Amino acid sequence: GLSVDNTVSCGTCHDPKFGFSDGKQFSDGVRKQKGDRNSPTVFNSAYYTQQFWDGRAPTLEKQAEGPVETPVEMAHTLAGVEQRLMADPFYKAEFKKAFGADVITYEMVEKAIASFERTVVSGNSPFDRYFYGGDKKAMSASAIRGLEVFRNPKKGNCEVCHTIGEKYALFTDNKFHNLGMGVKLTINGETELTDLGRFKVTKVESDKGAFKTSSLRNITLTAPYMHDGSHKNLKEVIDFYVGGGNSNPYR
């Protein structure tokens, strides 16, 4: 009901079966249109300090406005959503119970969506039980070796961005980095960014090609990876990092 033709919901692109993503490089919007960024998971998005790959929304509430109005996603209007929900006796009654109001506003809609998203929280993994709970049998010997590489500044150094805290691990620093994703060579042999990323929001030169650090929670469920969905599996991601990313002036 949020999309203009009733074909696309939040769950279309954020499906629990795919770790609250959709398993595609780019999602299908109304009339099978495609965007140009991979659908990120909703898991633990309550702990992100900015939403979207480029951080253009400061809260989950503001994020819930974006897809509705984007032409290649839901292609609707906030006012149109209000009218459609007001015409539905079920939603009219439910919003009345929740907010005590006779008129549904989109502000209520985004609060409802954000309230749900804040319940999609992931923790208590084998890592948590091993690292924080002291259960030395929770992780395999191979995984323990991997964690050592992950944390070692002279080896993987993954933890520098995928943060492990003293009491809990979000596996993201909530910052934006240019790894050289979406870099192509021009005819003149120079590098060109296919997506300016964070720069579109801040207009700061050094933010060109920078994207938000993804959390690693439930990472095996949410392939493909990166903002452009260009890596099909985790081995491709690791190989990319081992190669040092793609060279460009803002890396």
Side-chain angles (χ1 to χ4, degrees):
L2 295 180
S3 64
V4 70
D5 60 2
N6 291 290
T7 61
V8 175
S9 71
C10 303
T12 302
C13 305
H14 303 286
D15 188 333
K17 294 196 298 292
F18 296 98
F20 287 92
S21 58
D22 65 1
K24 300 175 182 178
Q25 181 176 14
F26 303 123
S27 303
D28 293 318
V30 297
R31 297 181 288 278
K32 297 297 180 183
Q33 295 180 95
K34 298 278 189 183
D36 57 3
R37 289 181 182 171
N38 182 254
S39 179
T41 179
V42 177
F43 271 125
N44 291 353
S45 57
Y47 301 110
Y48 293 155
T49 52
Q50 296 102 355
Q51 307 296 329
F52 290 112
W53 281 105
D54 57 13
R56 64 185 181 274
T59 63
L60 285 172
E61 284 81 0
K62 294 302 290 183
Q63 188 279 329
E65 296 177 6
V68 170
E69 299 182 296
T70 301
V72 297
E73 293 185 48
M74 293 179 170
H76 209 174
T77 65
L78 305 187
V81 170
E82 292 171 347
Q83 292 168 9
R84 184 174 291 170
L85 294 178
M86 280 293 292
D88 186 321
F90 171 79
Y91 275 117
K92 195 171 181 181
E94 290 297 304
F95 273 88
K96 172 76 170 178
K97 280 194 284 186
F99 293 96
D102 293 314
V103 177
I104 298 172
T105 67
Y106 198 83
E107 184 181 6
M108 297 173 188
V109 176
E110 62 190 40
K111 283 180 178 178
I113 293 171
S115 294
F116 161 69
E117 289 176 326
R118 290 189 177 99
T119 73
V120 186
V121 175
S122 173
N124 197 30
S125 69
F127 160 79
D128 295 291
R129 295 194 294 275
Y130 171 85
F131 193 80
Y132 296 112
D135 181 356
K136 299 308 176 186
K137 295 182 179 179
M139 281 171 47
S140 67
S142 174
I144 292 170
R145 290 195 300 273
L147 176 60
E148 290 171 356
V149 174
F150 186 94
R151 302 194 71 205
N152 191 323
K154 295 182 179 179
K155 291 185 177 180
N157 202 28
C158 312
E159 190 184 359
V160 70
C161 297
H162 297 285
T163 310
I164 297 176
E166 186 178 333
K167 296 182 178 179
Y168 57 87
L170 293 180
F171 289 106
T172 175
D173 59 1
N174 270 312
K175 295 179 181 178
F176 303 83
H177 305 283
N178 177 320
L179 311 175
M181 296 304 304
V183 171
K184 67 177 183 179
L185 287 175
T186 65
I187 297 174
N188 300 326
E190 298 177 353
T191 55
E192 183 179 276
L193 296 168
T194 57
D195 190 330
L196 293 177
R198 181 69 172 156
F199 174 79
K200 292 181 179 180
V201 179
T202 66
K203 302 299 187 264
V204 174
E205 188 79 3
S206 59
D207 281 339
K208 285 185 174 179
F211 296 90
K212 187 171 64 179
T213 303
S214 297
S215 172
L216 304 184
R217 292 280 179 184
N218 296 301
I219 194 71
T220 57
L221 301 176
T222 59
Y225 305 108
M226 304 298 188
H227 80 272
D228 58 0
S230 57
H231 291 339
K232 297 181 181 66
N233 54 56
L234 289 173
K235 183 181 183 303
E236 286 188 12
V237 174
I238 299 301
D239 287 345
F240 175 78
Y241 278 108
V242 169
N246 293 321
S247 180
N248 71 92
Y250 308 98
R251 184 176 60 175

